[in-house]
Coordinates of all heavy atoms in Angstrom, one line a residue:
D275 N 85.2 93.9 75.0 CA 83.7 94.0 74.8 C 83.0 94.6 76.0 O 82.1 95.4 75.9 CB 83.1 92.7 74.5 CG 83.7 92.0 73.2 OD1 84.1 92.8 72.3 OD2 83.8 90.8 73.2
Y276 N 83.5 94.2 77.2 CA 82.9 94.8 78.4 C 83.5 96.1 78.8 O 82.8 96.9 79.4 CB 83.1 93.8 79.6 CG 82.3 92.5 79.5 CD1 82.9 91.3 79.5 CD2 80.9 92.5 79.3 CE1 82.2 90.1 79.5 CE2 80.2 91.3 79.3 CZ 80.9 90.1 79.3 OH 80.2 88.9 79.3
F277 N 84.8 96.2 78.6 CA 85.5 97.4 79.1 C 86.3 98.1 77.9 O 87.5 98.1 77.9 CB 86.5 97.0 80.2 CG 85.8 96.2 81.3 CD1 85.9 94.8 81.3 CD2 85.0 96.8 82.3 CE1 85.3 94.0 82.3 CE2 84.3 96.0 83.2 CZ 84.5 94.7 83.3
P278 N 85.5 98.7 76.9 CA 86.2 99.2 75.7 C 87.2 100.3 76.0 O 88.1 100.5 75.2 CB 85.0 99.7 74.9 CG 83.8 99.8 75.8 CD 84.1 98.8 76.9
E279 N 87.1 101.0 77.1 CA 88.0 102.1 77.5 C 89.4 101.6 77.7 O 90.4 102.4 77.7 CB 87.5 102.8 78.7 CG 87.4 102.1 80.0 CD 86.2 101.2 80.2 OE1 85.5 100.9 79.2 OE2 85.9 100.8 81.4
Y280 N 89.6 100.2 77.8 CA 91.0 99.7 78.0 C 91.6 99.3 76.7 O 92.7 98.8 76.6 CB 90.9 98.4 78.9 CG 90.9 98.8 80.3 CD1 89.6 99.0 81.0 CD2 92.0 98.8 81.1 CE1 89.6 99.3 82.3 CE2 91.9 99.1 82.5 CZ 90.7 99.3 83.1 OH 90.6 99.6 84.4
E281 N 90.9 99.6 75.5 CA 91.5 99.1 74.2 C 92.6 100.1 73.8 O 92.4 101.3 73.8 CB 90.3 99.1 73.2 CG 90.9 98.7 71.8 CD 89.8 98.3 70.8 OE1 88.6 98.5 71.2 OE2 90.1 97.8 69.7
I282 N 93.7 99.6 73.4 CA 94.7 100.4 72.8 C 94.8 99.9 71.3 O 94.3 98.9 70.9 CB 96.1 100.4 73.5 CG1 96.5 98.9 73.9 CG2 96.0 101.2 74.8 CD1 97.8 98.8 74.5
E283 N 95.6 100.7 70.5 CA 95.6 100.5 69.1 C 96.0 99.0 68.8 O 96.8 98.4 69.5 CB 96.5 101.5 68.3 CG 98.0 101.3 68.5 CD 98.6 101.3 69.9 OE1 98.1 102.0 70.8 OE2 99.7 100.7 70.1
G284 N 95.3 98.4 67.8 CA 95.5 97.0 67.4 C 94.5 96.1 68.2 O 94.7 94.9 68.1
G285 N 93.6 96.7 69.0 CA 92.6 95.9 69.7 C 93.2 95.2 70.9 O 92.5 94.2 71.4
T286 N 94.3 95.5 71.4 CA 94.9 94.8 72.6 C 94.4 95.6 73.8 O 94.0 96.7 73.8 CB 96.4 94.8 72.6 OG1 96.9 96.1 72.4 CG2 96.9 93.9 71.4
V287 N 94.5 94.9 74.9 CA 94.1 95.4 76.2 C 95.2 96.1 76.9 O 96.3 95.6 77.0 CB 93.6 94.2 77.2 CG1 93.2 94.8 78.5 CG2 92.5 93.4 76.5
S288 N 95.0 97.3 77.3 CA 96.0 98.1 78.0 C 96.5 97.4 79.3 O 95.7 96.8 80.0 CB 95.4 99.5 78.4 OG 96.3 100.1 79.3
D289 N 97.8 97.5 79.6 CA 98.3 96.9 80.8 C 98.0 97.7 82.0 O 98.1 97.2 83.1 CB 99.9 96.9 80.7 CG 100.3 95.7 79.9 OD1 99.5 94.8 79.7 OD2 101.5 95.7 79.4
K290 N 97.5 98.9 81.8 CA 97.1 99.7 83.0 C 96.1 99.0 83.8 O 95.1 98.4 83.3 CB 96.5 101.1 82.5 CG 97.4 102.1 82.0 CD 96.7 103.4 81.9 CE 97.4 104.4 81.1 NZ 96.5 105.5 80.6
R291 N 96.3 99.1 85.2 CA 95.2 98.5 86.1 C 94.0 99.4 86.0 O 92.9 98.9 86.1 CB 95.7 98.6 87.5 CG 96.7 97.5 87.9 CD 96.0 96.3 88.6 NE 94.9 96.7 89.5 CZ 95.1 97.2 90.7 NH1 96.3 97.4 91.2 NH2 94.0 97.6 91.4
S292 N 94.1 100.7 85.8 CA 93.0 101.6 85.8 C 93.0 102.7 84.8 O 94.1 103.2 84.5 CB 93.0 102.2 87.2 OG 91.9 103.2 87.3
I293 N 91.9 103.0 84.2 CA 91.8 104.2 83.3 C 91.4 105.4 84.2 O 91.9 106.5 84.0 CB 90.8 103.9 82.2 CG1 91.2 102.6 81.4 CG2 90.7 105.1 81.3 CD1 92.5 102.7 80.7
I294 N 90.4 105.2 85.1 CA 89.9 106.3 85.9 C 91.0 106.8 86.9 O 91.0 108.0 87.1 CB 88.7 105.8 86.7 CG1 87.6 105.2 85.8 CG2 88.1 106.9 87.6 CD1 86.4 104.6 86.6
G295 N 91.8 105.9 87.4 CA 92.7 106.2 88.4 C 92.2 106.1 89.8 O 91.0 105.6 90.0
K296 N 92.9 106.4 90.8 CA 92.5 106.2 92.2 C 91.4 107.3 92.6 O 91.6 108.5 92.3 CB 93.7 106.4 93.2 CG 94.8 105.4 93.0 CD 94.5 104.1 93.7 CE 95.7 103.2 93.5 NZ 95.5 101.8 94.0
S297 N 90.3 106.8 93.1 CA 89.2 107.7 93.4 C 88.5 107.2 94.7 O 88.9 106.2 95.3 CB 88.1 107.6 92.3 OG 88.7 107.5 91.1
F298 N 87.6 108.0 95.1 CA 86.8 107.7 96.3 C 87.6 107.8 97.6 O 87.8 106.8 98.3 CB 86.0 106.4 96.2 CG 85.1 106.3 94.9 CD1 85.5 105.6 93.8 CD2 84.0 107.1 94.9 CE1 84.8 105.5 92.7 CE2 83.2 107.0 93.7 CZ 83.6 106.3 92.6
E299 N 88.0 109.0 98.0 CA 88.7 109.2 99.2 C 87.9 108.8 100.4 O 88.3 108.3 101.4 CB 89.0 110.7 99.3 CG 89.8 111.1 100.5 CD 91.2 111.6 100.1 OE1 91.3 112.4 99.1 OE2 92.2 111.3 100.8
T300 N 86.5 109.1 100.3 CA 85.6 108.7 101.4 C 84.6 107.7 100.8 O 84.5 107.5 99.6 CB 84.9 109.9 101.9 OG1 84.2 110.6 100.8 CG2 85.8 110.9 102.6
R301 N 83.9 107.2 101.7 CA 82.9 106.1 101.4 C 81.8 106.7 100.5 O 81.1 107.7 100.9 CB 82.3 105.6 102.7 CG 81.6 104.3 102.5 CD 81.3 103.7 103.9 NE 81.2 102.2 103.7 CZ 80.1 101.7 103.3 NH1 79.0 102.4 103.1 NH2 80.0 100.4 103.1
P302 N 81.5 106.2 99.3 CA 80.5 106.8 98.4 C 79.1 106.3 98.7 O 78.3 106.6 97.8 CB 81.0 106.3 97.0 CG 81.7 105.1 97.3 CD 82.3 105.1 98.7
W303 N 78.8 105.7 99.8 CA 77.4 105.4 100.2 C 77.1 106.1 101.5 O 77.9 106.2 102.4 CB 77.2 103.9 100.4 CG 77.3 103.1 99.1 CD1 76.4 102.9 98.2 CD2 78.5 102.5 98.7 NE1 76.9 102.1 97.2 CE2 78.2 101.8 97.5 CE3 79.8 102.3 99.2 CZ2 79.1 101.1 96.7 CZ3 80.8 101.6 98.5 CH2 80.4 101.0 97.2
D304 N 75.8 106.6 101.7 CA 75.4 107.2 102.9 C 75.1 106.0 103.9 O 75.1 104.8 103.5 CB 74.3 108.2 102.8 CG 73.0 107.6 102.4 OD1 72.8 106.3 102.5 OD2 72.1 108.3 102.0
S305 N 74.7 106.3 105.1 CA 74.5 105.3 106.1 C 73.3 104.4 105.8 O 73.2 103.3 106.3 CB 74.4 105.9 107.5 OG 73.3 106.7 107.6
N306 N 72.4 104.9 104.9 CA 71.3 104.0 104.4 C 71.7 103.2 103.2 O 70.9 102.4 102.7 CB 70.1 104.9 104.1 CG 69.6 105.6 105.3 OD1 69.5 105.1 106.4 ND2 69.2 106.9 105.1
G307 N 72.9 103.3 102.8 CA 73.3 102.5 101.6 C 73.0 103.1 100.3 O 73.1 102.5 99.3

Side-chain angles (χ1 to χ4, degrees):
D275 300 325
Y276 292 124
F277 310 100
E279 64 279 18
Y280 280 84
E281 180 166 6
I282 47 176
E283 76 300 333
T286 57
V287 179
S288 165
D289 281 340
K290 282 191 196 162
R291 280 262 325 282
S292 175
I293 303 296
I294 304 174
K296 299 271 183 191
S297 325
F298 304 105
E299 182 115 44
T300 56
R301 200 168 201 277
W303 294 275
D304 70 12
S305 62
N306 297 318

